[in-house]
Amino acid sequence: IQQVASIAKRMVKEWGMSKKVGMIALSSPQSGGPFMGAGMGGGGTQWGGKVLSTVDAEVERLVNNSYLTAKNILSKNMDLLEHVAQTLVDQEVVSAEEFQMMLVDFNAKVVPFEIVGTERNRDKLPFQEMPTAKML
């Protein structure tokens, strides 16, 4: 989940891949860790709260809709998913050619890449809020 959020944030902030935010780079790619001088002393941002709020909304939109798209694809291809899982249990490796044949044999259902969604879709996610710990 952290990787998905990180990639979505980079798509919006570094690569200009959001129509709402625009084709601007709000941050530069991170090279090296904190012990190589990155992130030391710099801090602040030159962008206002409205722009950063829009960035957060776009990142949330990308993450939420990517989750829903992946869940939809997996649900529509459950037989294929179970077959791949069993094949991996049996032989530990599936070659690219074997996987492509499985896609054909199971008539894999896909969705167009362009469909990411324009809404945040919070209401369609399985968890609306963080679970709370129960006291014994």
Side-chain angles (χ1 to χ4, degrees), residues 24-106:
I24 55 175
L26 297 171
S27 65
S28 58
Q30 298 295 324
S31 58
F35 300 109
M36 302 200 53
M40 295 178 73
T45 179
Q46 63 185 7
W47 304 100
K50 185 176 180 182
V51 172
L52 296 177
S53 177
T54 303
V55 167
D56 289 342
E58 283 293 278
V59 169
E60 180 182 355
R61 179 186 66 82
L62 287 170
V63 170
N64 291 354
N65 286 300
S66 297
Y67 168 83
L68 293 171
T69 300
K71 183 177 178 185
N72 183 26
I73 291 169
L74 291 173
S75 296
K76 288 183 177 181
N77 294 289
M78 191 55 67
D79 292 340
L80 171 61
L81 181 62
E82 290 171 358
H83 180 74
V84 170
Q86 186 59 50
T87 303
L88 288 170
V89 167
D90 294 343
Q91 63 189 42
E92 295 185 20
V93 175
V94 173
S95 70
E97 292 82 11
E98 289 173 311
F99 185 69
Q100 288 173 343
M101 286 306 300
M102 289 178 195
L103 293 174
V104 171
D105 291 343
F106 284 86

